[in-house]
Every structure is written in C-alpha cells, then in structure tokens.
Amino acid sequence: MKDIEIKIINPLMGESIPIPKYETKGSAGIDLRACIKEKVLLKAGTTFMVPIGFAMYLEDPNLAALVVPRSGLGSKKGIVLGNLVGLIDSDYQGELMVPAWNRSNKDFEINPGDRIAQMIIVPVVQAKFKIVENFKESERGEKGFGSSGLN
C-alpha cells in the first residue's frame, strides 16, 4: 500500500460524502463519488462535469491514475466517461472531475454521493525513443487489425 496525499476541496467530502477507499481487499479501483449538494439530471446524450471533492498529488513520476467507468453504470444505464478514460499525471494537483456522459436514450439522475466512476493507480514507464532503420523481425511483423483471426 502506497501513501498518496489528498486535499479536501469541498467540505461535503468527509461529512456527507465518504473519503475514497478500497471497498474490498481485492478491489483494483477506488470508487469516485459525486461531490454535489443536490441531484443533477443528466439528460440523454449529454455530458456533465461531476466534481469529486478532492485533489490528489501522486508525486511519484512512476505512477499515474486512470479514471474509468463503473461497469454497471456503463452496461446497464449507459453512463460512461466523456473522454472514455481519464489520465491523472503524477504532477497534477487540481480537483478531480469526472465527465459523466449519458450515452443512453433515457435521462439519468446523479445524486450527492453516488459512485460515478472508479480510479486505478498504475505504474508508468517513460520511454526514450530511438530512431532505427529496421526492427528486429517479430513473428507478427506488420500484420494489423484482424490478422490473428476470430478464434
């Protein structure tokens, strides 16, 4: 377990809205909750920037955080992220926001404290690009989309 600093931006965080935590021992993601005072109606086909109520400083350049949709909201309600996957760099220190996108044809209600997305902290490897004339040949080579078949 790695210590990550967070700063409370909205006083609702920690009062009526719980501080983020892993829900089970095996959880890879931490649920991010809507830090709003009153419900928001997310109309079909629209996006709303949901404030999460805290800022985070990963600090370690070998880490980043990914914000991804919650499986049930995406598959059952059509609520995903407007940017599909959010990337939080190690040096970002602003409030976390989730661009909730209602891709369904039905309006959706976001209530204060609703779990709206999840965040996964992942290792990062920065690359230094080296220009070459040719690559060492691989089995796949330049075969592209669908080249490995369906089964």
Side-chain angles (χ1 to χ4, degrees):
M1 182 89 43
K2 176 134 177 113
D3 288 336
I4 302 292
E5 294 179 355
I6 68 168
K7 179 171 62 174
I8 303 302
I9 302 293
N10 185 322
L12 293 173
M13 176 65 57
E15 289 180 6
S16 59
I17 297 170
I19 300 290
K21 66 179 179 60
Y22 292 98
E23 295 297 327
T24 68
K25 212 174 194 178
S27 294
I30 297 168
D31 288 327
L32 298 177
R33 295 176 180 269
C35 196
I36 52 179
K37 286 184 181 179
E38 47 194 51
K39 69 181 171 185
V40 171
L41 185 64
L42 185 57
K43 294 206 170 274
T46 65
T47 302
F48 174 71
M49 289 298 283
V50 181
I52 301 304
F54 71 93
M56 175 177 73
Y57 180 36
L58 290 170
E59 189 177 3
D60 183 345
N62 296 308
L63 295 176
L66 299 177
V67 178
V68 297
R70 294 190 65 235
S71 308
L73 282 180
S75 62
K76 295 177 183 173
K77 302 291 184 181
I79 307 303
V80 295
L81 277 63
N83 57 343
L84 303 183
V85 174
L87 173 63
I88 302 167
D89 295 312
S90 65
D91 55 354
Y92 178 67
Q93 296 181 333
E95 181 178 8
L96 302 185
M97 304 285 281
V98 171
W101 172 32
N102 183 349
R103 63 181 178 148
S104 79
N105 58 4
K106 294 181 182 173
D107 294 348
F108 181 79
E109 204 172 87
I110 301 173
N111 295 293
D114 278 357
R115 296 177 296 158
I116 199 71
Q118 55 189 331
M119 179 176 66
I120 306 161
I121 298 173
V122 296
V124 170
V125 176
Q126 290 185 335
K128 178 180 174 186
F129 292 106
K130 177 182 169 184
I131 298 172
V132 299
E133 291 293 323
N134 294 297
F135 297 123
K136 177 181 162 188
E137 195 172 320
S138 70
E139 184 178 330
R140 181 177 183 173
E142 295 181 10
K143 296 175 189 165
F145 296 110
S147 65
S148 61
L150 295 176
N151 300 331

